[in-house]
Amino acid sequence: IQQARGLADLVDEKFGIELECLEHISTLIEHDVMNKESILKAFEEMEQNSQMGLLVLGGTSVYGETLSIQDFSGIQDSFRGNSAISYTYEKGLLFTVPVYSNKNVRYVLYKFYEKEVLAEIFGISCYDGEGNVFVMNREMEVVVPTKDGEMEQSLFSNHVTSFEQIGRELTIATATAEQCEQEGEEYFLFVAEIGTSDFLLVGTVAKEVVSEGISHITILIWWVFGLLLL
């Protein structure tokens, strides 16, 4: 469970950096709104895997592509003054922040990643690559997939009961784990909430990999203890 929390914190940090960057750009636009296009172009030229834009109320764009409020709930959240992260299945991941004029929200600034690049940008590994990790939303849609994208659907179809149990446990805890078996192999399924969003980190690791890690730690402890006795 501690490993799950640590990995969730890592994803949370990656998401947080994206929002902090947008908040910085938002401040620049607030102080120089007449040059908003030049500011956005300068930052967009440094980005290779994302698109940036500026929306007015209703989702119409004054820079970049127009996005649907129905598709991305975070747009509405940012018009209410909040930084937000939202995902639409088969489209991608959207980061949004408000841009103020005095005390009123004038625009919503966004940064959008298409689904094809999410694993490359936000994917993480665990247990030196021996485990698999992905990010999903509460509707059990994969947001950030694993490299091959096959393991997720196998988990969903074969371990519905485990996911239901985990869902119940997450109502009283921020991370939990279940021991599962598939095709004769035992492994741990772990899930943790990701702080800056309503997403969940999901991971699997073979039981023998975890056991080997514990054995290595035990040997190290005895080795250090032996040195202290010398």
Side-chain angles (χ1 to χ4, degrees), residues 21-225:
C21 178
L22 282 182
E23 288 164 359
H24 171 67
I25 300 171
S26 171
T27 301
L28 295 177
I29 294 173
E30 288 172 25
H31 289 91
D32 193 7
V33 70
M34 297 302 294
N35 291 311
K36 56 184 179 294
E37 290 87 357
S38 300
I39 293 171
L40 285 168
K41 282 180 183 177
F43 280 95
E44 198 169 32
E45 286 174 0
M46 295 186 285
E47 299 288 338
Q48 295 181 342
N49 297 303
S50 63
Q51 303 149 33
M52 297 181 70
L54 202 60
L55 307 174
V56 294
L57 190 63
T60 303
S61 172
V62 295
Y63 182 90
E65 293 186 12
T66 295
L67 299 178
S68 169
I69 291 177
Q70 284 71 37
D71 286 343
F72 296 99
S73 60
I75 297 173
Q76 200 75 285
D77 289 340
S78 291
F79 272 115
R80 297 189 184 104
N82 304 306
S83 297
I85 307 171
S86 50
Y87 172 78
T88 293
Y89 184 66
E90 292 299 322
K91 290 191 177 181
L93 188 63
L94 187 73
F95 296 85
T96 53
V97 300
V99 180
Y100 286 92
S101 175
N102 296 319
K103 294 184 179 181
N104 300 315
V105 177
R106 183 171 185 175
Y107 304 112
V108 163
L109 173 65
Y110 74 77
K111 189 175 184 181
F112 176 68
Y113 290 94
E114 294 183 344
K115 65 182 182 67
E116 289 80 8
V117 303
L118 293 176
E120 178 186 350
I121 303 298
F122 298 106
I124 58 174
S125 62
C126 67
Y127 287 96
D128 296 323
E130 296 289 336
N132 295 289
V133 182
F134 63 96
V135 176
M136 73 175 188
N137 59 18
R138 301 282 177 167
E139 288 72 44
M140 293 181 68
E141 296 171 336
V142 176
V143 178
V144 180
T146 54
K147 294 294 183 181
D148 57 27
E150 296 178 358
M151 184 269 291
E152 299 93 319
Q153 295 307 321
S154 174
L155 276 178
F156 292 155
S157 59
N158 291 302
H159 299 292
V160 174
T161 302
S162 294
F163 273 103
E164 289 174 348
Q165 175 63 24
I166 282 174
R168 288 191 291 270
E169 292 178 5
L170 284 175
T171 61
I172 57 175
T174 58
T176 186
E178 292 283 322
Q179 187 171 329
C180 304
E181 183 176 336
Q182 185 173 331
E183 297 179 355
E185 182 181 2
E186 291 185 321
Y187 61 91
F188 290 103
L189 169 64
F190 55 87
V191 180
E193 295 179 341
I194 299 173
T196 53
S197 68
D198 197 33
F199 300 146
L200 301 171
L201 177 130
V202 183
T204 63
V205 61
K207 185 179 178 181
E208 63 181 27
V209 172
V210 177
S211 299
E212 287 173 6
I214 293 172
S215 297
H216 291 158
I217 292 171
T218 303
I219 292 170
L220 179 61
I221 290 171
W222 280 112
W223 180 74
V224 172
F225 182 70

